[in-house]
């Protein structure tokens, strides 16, 4: 909390058990909020205004490490972190590193030791170099949380959706969309991304249990390259005329749409993707993508910041897995708030 007894939005959010965005809407009259939320915010602010804290927010800094050129949703995530920091009086430094490059991620993690921020939020790659860097930071007392993609066995926090449940959700919908049809394909590059691996394994598990007559084909695109996605899907559709659905667990869904269009199968083959962006929303509205499995990047940024700044042991927090179709796509993804914070 600030020294002048005016609490930060982050302090109020932690006290009230709400997101910083909800607190901002209440305090600044932006958008609709429930009467319960208003009551919780006002009570929390009143209690905090009666407290005195010697900590100045000007000294608070959080570092965020994200993969570069990893799609619009990752750009949005970086912008939402900057916005959350601005609203909470916390300096946010976003570091961009080569995607699917564990050496680059490891170096970026270790580099934070020179600057000693209050904590680090990062999108993990499950690789020994990253595990080694995380162990070093933890031994130095650094507060850490993974975001979007988790890290096995390190005891750090995590903020993001349950990726295995997301994959199972995609399979349940895909199986019912394509019931009685031939095969479905999974496009992924999950060798280093636990999020991709969990989505893929969840999808397979449910398809195997509930739609055993549908063959699941594995398409490893490698490093989420759109041009590779296009080539592989084009080859798949030329060799297998029974493909009824394609599930893209990572980046590059537009390339898949283009390949299906080129094969003149856009109305027959069902395409599922992840993360609602202005691009995937356009595909939804044009009936080129059927389902987008989404997680709120704003909620991830708000919660990760709150966990790091809480001073308490960092916990694990799952955000909701949302199913977006063309019928509800316009009610999501308001980018006006982050227009000034996008790289």
């Amino acid at each position: 909390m600030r020294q002048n007894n005016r609490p930060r939005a982050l302090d109020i959010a932690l006290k009230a058990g709400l997101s910083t965005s909800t607190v901002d809407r209440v305090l600044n009259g932006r958008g609709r909020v429930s009467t319960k939320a208003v009551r919780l915010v006002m009570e929390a602010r009143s209690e905090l205004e009666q407290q005195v804290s010697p900590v100045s927010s000007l000294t608070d800094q959080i570092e965020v490490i994200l993969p570069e050129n990893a799609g619009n949703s990752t750009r949005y995530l970086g912008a939402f972190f900057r916005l959350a920091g601005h609203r909470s009086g916390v300096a946010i430094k976003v570091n961009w590193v080569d995607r699917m490059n564990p050496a680059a991620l490891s170096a970026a993690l270790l580099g934070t030791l020179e600057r000693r921020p209050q904590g680090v939020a990062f999108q993990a790659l499950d690789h020994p170099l990253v595990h080694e860097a995380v162990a070093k930071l933890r031994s130095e007392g650094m507060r850490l949380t993974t975001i979007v993609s988790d890290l096995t066995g390190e005891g750090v926090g995590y903020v993001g959706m349950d990726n295995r449940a997301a994959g199972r959700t995609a399979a349940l919908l895909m199986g019912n969309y394509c019931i009685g049809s031939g095969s479905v394909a999974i496009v992924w590059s999950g060798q280093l991304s636990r999020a991709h691996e969990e989505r893929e394994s969840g999808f397979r598990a449910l398809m195997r249990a509930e739609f055993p007559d549908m063959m699941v084909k594995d398409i490893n695109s490698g490093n989420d390259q759109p041009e590779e996605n296009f080539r592989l899907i084009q080859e798949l559709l030329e060799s297998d005329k029974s493909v009824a659905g394609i599930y893209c667990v990572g980046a590059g869904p537009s390339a898949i749409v283009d390949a299906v269009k080129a094969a003149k199968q856009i109305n027959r083959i069902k395409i599922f993707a992840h993360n609602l962006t202005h691009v995937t929303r356009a595909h939804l509205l044009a009936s080129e993508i059927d389902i987008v499995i989404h997680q709120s990047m704003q909620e991830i940024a708000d919660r990760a910041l709150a966990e790091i700044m809480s001073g308490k042991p960092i916990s694990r927090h799952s955000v909701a897995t949302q199913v977006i179709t063309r019928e509800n796509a316009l009610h999501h993804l308001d980018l006006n708030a982050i227009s000034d914070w996008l790289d």
Side-chain angles (χ1 to χ4, degrees), residues 3-25:
Q3 287 181 316
N4 62 5
N5 284 354
R6 294 181 60 187
R8 299 175 298 176
L10 176 60
D11 297 315
I12 297 173
L14 291 171
K15 186 76 173 177
L18 301 170
S19 70
T20 54
S21 59
T22 299
V23 172
D24 179 74
R25 287 198 297 272

Side-chain angles (χ1 to χ4, degrees), residues 83-128:
L83 176 61
H86 172 73
R87 288 174 170 172
S88 305
V90 177
I92 302 293
K93 176 180 172 58
V94 179
N95 305 282
W96 299 97
V97 299
D98 289 343
R99 62 180 178 179
M100 299 295 176
N101 185 335
L105 176 56
S106 174
L109 285 165
L110 294 173
T112 64
L113 288 172
E114 299 176 3
R115 296 178 293 274
R116 289 288 173 180
Q118 271 66 30
V120 179
F122 67 103
Q123 191 166 324
L125 295 176
D126 214 346
H127 187 277

Side-chain angles (χ1 to χ4, degrees), residues 138-257:
R138 291 191 67 205
S139 72
E140 296 286 334
M142 188 73 73
R143 294 176 63 78
L144 300 171
T145 186
T146 58
I147 47 178
V148 179
S149 190
D150 201 1
L151 195 64
T152 56
E154 288 297 343
V156 299
Y158 170 67
V159 183
M161 69 181 175
D162 181 334
N163 284 291
R164 182 172 173 81
R168 291 178 65 85
T169 299
L172 182 62
L173 293 167
M174 183 74 81
N176 281 290
Y177 266 53
C178 304
I179 195 162
S181 301
S183 61
V184 296
I186 309 174
V187 181
W188 72 307
S189 57
Q191 303 93 328
L192 297 173
S193 171
R194 186 174 173 186
H196 289 196
E197 184 177 328
E198 290 175 343
R199 293 170 192 173
E200 186 264 349
S201 65
F203 185 90
R204 279 186 179 278
L206 191 135
M207 291 295 295
R208 186 167 54 244
E210 300 203 18
F211 306 99
D213 294 332
M214 298 188 71
M215 179 181 296
V216 179
K217 299 196 169 186
D218 202 23
I219 306 296
N220 184 352
S221 68
N223 209 29
D224 270 345
Q225 295 290 348
E227 60 273 17
E228 186 71 356
N229 282 357
F230 181 90
R231 182 185 68 81
L232 290 170
I233 294 302
Q234 192 174 49
E235 290 179 356
L236 171 69
L237 298 183
E238 288 174 354
S239 63
D240 186 351
K241 304 301 183 183
S242 72
V243 175
I246 300 172
Y247 174 37
C248 179
V249 305
S254 289
I256 294 172
V257 169

Side-chain angles (χ1 to χ4, degrees), residues 17 52 63 65 75 113 134 150 158 177 230 256 265 287 313:
V52 177
E63 295 209 22
I65 304 174
R75 290 179 60 236
L113 288 172
V134 167
D150 201 1
Y158 170 67
Y177 266 53
F230 181 90
I256 294 172
Q265 298 292 321
S287 297

Side-chain angles (χ1 to χ4, degrees), residues 257 261 266-267 271 276-292 324-333:
V257 169
K261 277 184 177 180
I266 198 65
N267 293 319
I271 301 176
L276 188 67
T277 69
H278 65 279
V279 174
T280 53
R281 181 164 62 185
H283 286 311
L284 280 171
L285 295 176
S287 297
E288 296 167 343
I289 287 178
D290 298 275
I291 295 288
V292 169
I324 313 296
T325 72
R326 69 182 184 187
E327 300 302 323
N328 65 348
L330 293 177
H331 300 289
H332 297 266
L333 193 66

